[in-house]
Amino acid sequence: YEVTVVTSDVAGAGTDSAVRMSLTGDKGVLATALAKTTSGKRPAFERNTTDVFSFNNATIGLPKTLTIGHDSSGAGAAWHLAEVVVKLQRANKSFRFPCNEWLQKTASGGAAERAIKARDMSRETAYTFDFVMSKEANPTPASGIVMEVDGLNSANEVIREMVSVFDPESGHAAKSSFRPGHVMSVQRELFDMQKPTAIRPGVDLLSATTGQVLLEQVVLTNKVTGKSHVFPVANKVVTGVCSDNSPILEDPSAPRLAPEASATRAKPSASSGSVVVPAPPRRASTTVVTHAPNPAPAPAPASGLTLV
C-alpha cells in the first residue's frame, strides 16, 4: 500500500503536530503514526507538500474508510489537508480520500481528526471550475469558497459533491485569486458526476460571519467531453455557509464569461489537482517513507466522527 498525503497550498496549512491514521479495509485495519520528518530531515506535512508512505506487508484488502488527524501538539497545530490517495500497488487500483478542510480543534466544534470514505478513482470525472470574479471592489474578501454541486450520475440519480477552493494569497489584494475581474481556475475530480445541474456556493467557515466573494458566474467543464455548464450568479454576492444558500441552476443560454485560453489556470497537484495554485506554483516537495511491516493494532474509533 502506498499512501500519499497532500497538504494544501494555503497560508498556515502545515502542521507541527504528530499525525496518525487508521485505514480500514474489507479484510483488516492499518493503524499507525506517520513520520514527522523525511529521510532528508525536512519536516513532513508542510504547506504545498506531498509526502508518500509505503506499507509493504499490510493485508487489509480494499480500502473503505480513513480516519486521519493530529494530536494538536506544537505551536502550529492546525492542518489544512487537501487529500490522501491510497494505491494498491499489486492490484494497480487507487482510492482517493478528499478532505480540503482544516483539521483543528475549535470552540465551535472543529475537530483535529476526520473520517473519510474511500472513492474509487476509476469512477471519477475531472472538471475544470472557472470562478469569474466581479469587477467590483470587494471590501471584505473571504479566504475561501465552499460549494455544493448537484448533478446526475451514470444511473441518472441525483447526487451531491462538496468542492472547496482557498485563496493562497489571502490578505494580498494585488495577488489575490479573488481580486476584481480575475478568473480563478482549478481542477476537481467529481465522483460519477455525469451532468452538473445546480450549484450552491458559500464561503469558508472562518469567513462566514464577515467575508464575501463577488462572483459573476461559475463554469464547470468536463475534461473528457469538453462540455461546459454555465451557472450565472445573479446578485454577484456570495456570503454565508453554502448549505444555507439558494441553489443556482445551470443556464444553457447564458454567455460564457470565462475566457477559454487567457484565464490563469491552476496546475494540478501530483496526485489529484486538489490543491489550489492560481499563480505559477512552487514545486511541491515529495518524500518517501517506508514503514515497518507490522503496524500497530487499530485504536478504538474516536467518538463523534462523521463519515463524509
Side-chain angles (χ1 to χ4, degrees):
Y1 294 80
E2 181 182 86
V3 178
T4 300
V5 180
V6 183
T7 299
S8 304
D9 186 10
V10 178
T15 185
D16 297 327
S17 299
V19 174
R20 287 192 61 86
M21 76 165 196
S22 178
L23 180 63
T24 301
D26 57 5
K27 295 182 180 179
V29 178
L30 169 63
T32 183
L34 300 180
K36 294 179 67 174
T37 58
T38 71
S39 56
K41 306 301 181 182
R42 175 185 67 78
F45 317 119
E46 293 297 295
R47 173 179 175 173
N48 194 30
T49 58
T50 298
D51 300 298
V52 183
F53 305 86
S54 294
F55 302 91
N56 295 326
N57 294 305
T59 54
I60 64 169
L62 296 179
K64 297 299 183 182
T65 60
L66 172 72
T67 300
I68 188 167
H70 58 81
D71 63 359
S72 299
S73 62
W79 184 28
H80 199 284
L81 174 64
E83 66 178 17
V84 177
V85 174
V86 176
K87 181 178 181 180
L88 282 66
Q89 294 175 312
R90 292 180 182 175
N92 196 27
K93 291 181 68 68
S94 295
F95 297 84
R96 191 190 313 278
F97 298 86
C99 184
N100 285 306
E101 288 188 7
W102 287 101
L103 301 184
Q104 177 184 15
K105 287 184 178 179
T106 64
S108 58
E113 188 176 61
R114 191 154 184 237
I116 312 170
K117 288 183 178 179
R119 296 195 339 187
D120 185 342
M121 292 177 64
S122 66
R123 296 184 61 191
E124 292 182 327
T125 303
Y127 282 84
T128 297
F129 285 70
D130 289 319
F131 294 88
V132 185
M133 304 299 160
S134 169
K135 295 181 180 179
E136 301 173 13
N138 185 357
T140 56
S143 60
I145 300 172
V146 179
M147 185 171 73
E148 293 179 350
V149 181
D150 292 344
L152 300 176
N153 64 11
S154 54
N156 210 36
E157 300 167 329
V158 177
I159 58 174
R160 175 169 294 169
E161 286 267 9
M162 292 289 292
V163 173
S164 302
V165 295
F166 287 82
D167 183 3
E169 300 294 343
S170 179
H172 299 83
K175 298 180 180 179
S176 170
S177 298
F178 300 160
R179 64 185 181 272
H182 183 62
V183 180
M184 181 183 188
S185 296
V186 300
Q187 180 176 308
R188 290 290 184 271
E189 287 73 23
L190 304 182
F191 187 68
D192 196 21
M193 178 75 73
Q194 302 301 312
K195 178 178 170 47
T197 57
I199 62 172
R200 191 177 282 102
V203 299
D204 65 292
L205 289 176
L206 296 179
S207 305
T209 56
T210 58
Q212 63 181 14
V213 176
L214 301 183
L215 276 175
E216 291 280 354
Q217 68 177 208
V218 180
V219 181
L220 277 64
T221 303
N222 187 309
K223 295 278 287 183
V224 176
T225 65
K227 180 175 176 55
S228 293
H229 305 267
V230 179
F231 300 88
V233 184
N235 63 1
K236 301 182 183 179
V237 180
V238 175
T239 60
V241 180
C242 61
S243 58
D244 295 335
N245 295 336
S246 300
I248 299 171
L249 303 180
E250 179 187 11
D251 184 354
S253 65
R256 176 173 177 160
L257 301 180
E260 296 285 350
S262 60
T264 301
R265 295 199 173 271
K267 182 179 179 181
S269 69
S271 58
S272 71
S274 292
V275 180
V276 181
V277 193
R282 297 180 292 274
R283 184 180 297 275
S285 302
T286 302
T287 181
V288 177
V289 180
T290 301
H291 280 243
N294 297 316
S303 61
L305 291 177
T306 301
L307 292 180
V308 295

